[in-house]
Amino acid sequence: MLTINTEILRAEVASHIANDAVVQGQYWNEGKGCFIGCLAHSSDAEKLGERFGLPLPLVRVCESIFEYLPLDEARAFFAAIPDAVDRDGKDLTRVHWGFLAAELRALPKVSDDIQAVIDPVIEGMDLLAAGGEWPEESARAAARAVDADADAARAAARAAARAAARAVDAVDAAADAASAADAAASAAADAAARRRQRDTILALIKAA
């Protein structure tokens, strides 16, 4: 999947901002909607892939960040997406792996035992973000090892390990990615964490 119709994306985002149609907490209702709602005019996140080449895992991550930013900052984040995408023909299918690896790196300091579980997962996500493959046995070993008592680390590790080990399709990967992103965010769910996530995802989209 490559990005398409970037100029249409840019125009639609600008139009929704200008018409004060960007809100939180609803997909699309009475001419207003969230990140997904404004671009799909429904709750169907897959339309953003069909219309603009935005992969479902990335859309889910962006939606999560959008919903938890202060409203004015959420609108600014929405407005920044077309400039980050920049052009047609970009491959954004691996961006969510880089984002998840960054989130695990940003977790508060944990014990050595827990870090020993997290580090192989980060390495696997780095491989996926770079277009490589996470060896199946390593993914399964990470899943077996995930018995730490840190909810965010455990959820992210399981989500990533399942995605790599079972080679799930894009929809399943989206669910795992969104779950992992939300779990990582819940470990540090203050405004600073959400702003860090915003900056991370925009930088990764630009760099793709």
Side-chain angles (χ1 to χ4, degrees):
M1 177 183 290
L2 301 177
T3 54
I4 56 174
N5 300 325
T6 305
E7 290 308 310
I8 295 175
L9 172 66
R10 194 183 306 278
E12 291 198 7
V13 166
S15 175
H16 284 85
I17 293 289
N19 290 318
D20 195 27
V22 184
V23 298
Q24 293 167 311
Q26 67 182 44
Y27 281 109
W28 188 250
N29 185 42
E30 297 182 353
K32 295 180 181 289
C34 62
F35 186 100
I36 292 171
C38 281
L39 296 178
H41 284 196
S42 73
S43 62
D44 186 358
E46 292 188 12
K47 284 187 176 180
L48 277 65
E50 297 166 4
R51 299 191 66 210
F52 306 115
L54 301 180
L56 190 55
L58 174 61
V59 170
R60 293 298 189 192
V61 169
C62 289
E63 174 74 358
S64 176
I65 295 169
F66 172 89
E67 286 295 329
Y68 286 96
L69 285 169
L71 180 56
D72 59 337
E73 294 182 35
R75 288 171 172 162
F77 172 59
F78 180 69
I81 290 295
D83 284 341
V85 174
D86 183 51
R87 58 180 173 80
D88 292 352
K90 291 181 75 171
D91 182 356
L92 303 181
T93 55
R94 299 189 298 271
V95 166
H96 65 287
W97 293 119
F99 172 82
L100 293 175
E103 282 301 288
L104 287 181
R105 288 188 171 94
L107 286 173
K109 184 175 177 57
V110 295
S111 70
D112 290 345
D113 287 346
I114 294 175
Q115 194 63 48
V117 173
I118 295 172
D119 285 343
V121 178
I122 293 174
E123 292 172 6
M125 289 179 177
D126 284 341
L127 280 171
L128 293 170
E133 295 184 2
W134 192 0
E136 186 172 329
E137 184 53 38
S138 297
R140 288 176 176 167
R144 289 195 300 269
V146 177
D147 57 0
D149 58 354
D151 288 343
R154 183 168 62 248
R158 282 178 175 161
R162 283 199 306 269
R166 297 182 306 173
V168 293
D169 61 18
V171 174
D172 286 337
D176 284 347
S179 174
D182 286 343
S186 70
D190 56 11
R194 293 298 179 173
R195 292 180 183 115
R196 183 195 70 243
Q197 293 175 350
R198 172 200 63 199
D199 294 345
T200 297
I201 202 70
L202 288 173
L204 288 168
I205 293 170
K206 287 178 182 178

